[in-house]
Amino acid sequence: MQIPKLAIIIPCFNEESCLKSTIETLSDYLKKLTNKNKISKDSYLYFVDDGSKDKSWNIIEAYHSKNPQEIKGQKFIKNYGNQKALIAGLESVRRLGCDCVVSIDADLQQDINAIEAFLDKYNQGYEVVLGVRKNRKTDSFLKKTSAYLFYKTMNIFGVKIPLNHSDFRLVDKKALDIMEMYPEKALFLRGFFHETGLKTTTVAFDVKPRFAGKSKFNFFSLMGLALNGITSFSIVPLRIVSCVGLIMALFAFCVALEAILKKIIFHNVLHGVTTMISLVGFVGGIQIFCLGVIGEYVGQIYNEVKGRPRYITDEELV
């Protein structure tokens, strides 16, 4: 079997404190995999600087000048977000050439030794290999809770992704070719790779404590990612809105019918100012919530029809 050419994508945003260690660690790991004949000698690292304000890009440039064949990358003109950085990396390595690609965070909390297990699965014929965390011992209670809600919400609304799978994965060139056929600006990668229908498996890995800097993901970024994923890959919320509207209409009809019957049969009217105020407030809240759900979809359509580029590259090192 032909030895695959591997590209490793590393999105970076203000990772000056850990980038040198990351580059050296991954470079050594590439050599280790090469010596085991797991990957070809022309495999490489591809860094995507997502508009960092620190010296992250200067560090990447310095290592590229020493080893241009192994260290490559590009710099965004401004910050576009982690998903756009990953997409840029996937599009770029497809253009530069590779047989398979792994994406990993710049802090290397994800166990890089799992990459060898990814490659073993790839050699068995799998086209997508998803990294799944064994546990969340390194996370705070708030982060554990928000992450659990994120995955459960995504699955409830029809975006089927494995619990505790982030963007640590291996995909082959076929997956990259399919991705080229998806022109949408806000492509949600975790949902996309599930939707392709390619032969997929998982590999469990451990997560280490972050050795430098701080995580860029928080509750609000997870919420934004969830909203993007749901509105990109599911119309279940819109159907829920329709059902809620129908239920509220039936409820209002029953209340009106009760009032009419009381007036006709018992010559009485429905009393209860407090009840009516509560009902009006409840119905008003439901309406505003439903408008918000519809607004998220309208916002997605608005962003797509503008046709603006996903990202703008300032510099590239190849």
Side-chain angles (χ1 to χ4, degrees), residues 249-259:
L250 289 172
F251 177 74
F253 175 77
C254 292
V255 170
L257 185 62
E258 181 188 9

Side-chain angles (χ1 to χ4, degrees), residues 170-189:
L170 176 147
V171 299
D172 72 355
K173 189 176 183 301
K174 186 176 180 180
L176 299 181
D177 292 339
I178 293 173
M179 195 184 84
E180 189 70 14
M181 299 162 62
Y182 282 64
E184 58 210 69
K185 308 304 176 187
L187 184 63
F188 180 63
L189 292 174

Side-chain angles (χ1 to χ4, degrees), residues 11-15 17-18 82 105-110 133 136 138-140 143 146-147 166 190 207-222:
C12 314
F13 178 62
N14 293 337
E15 298 289 358
S17 59
C18 67
N82 180 265
D105 292 343
D107 56 20
L108 294 189
Q109 281 189 276
Q110 297 142 328
R133 291 179 63 155
R136 288 190 167 270
T138 58
D139 290 348
S140 65
K143 192 166 183 181
S146 59
S166 57
R190 299 182 206 185
V207 175
K208 300 174 289 184
R210 189 180 174 100
F211 68 89
K214 60 181 182 179
S215 174
K216 310 303 183 295
F217 269 96
N218 53 39
F219 175 78
F220 295 104
S221 58
L222 272 177

Side-chain angles (χ1 to χ4, degrees), residues 155-174:
N155 280 275
I156 288 169
F157 287 127
V159 187
K160 303 298 182 182
I161 53 177
L163 183 66
N164 291 332
H165 165 60
S166 57
D167 285 303
F168 185 35
R169 69 174 73 85
L170 176 147
V171 299
D172 72 355
K173 189 176 183 301
K174 186 176 180 180

Side-chain angles (χ1 to χ4, degrees), residues 118 128-132 162 165 168-170 193 200-205:
F118 288 179
V128 177
V129 185
L130 308 176
V132 177
H165 165 60
F168 185 35
R169 69 174 73 85
L170 176 147
F193 286 117
T200 303
T201 189
T202 61
V203 168
F205 68 93

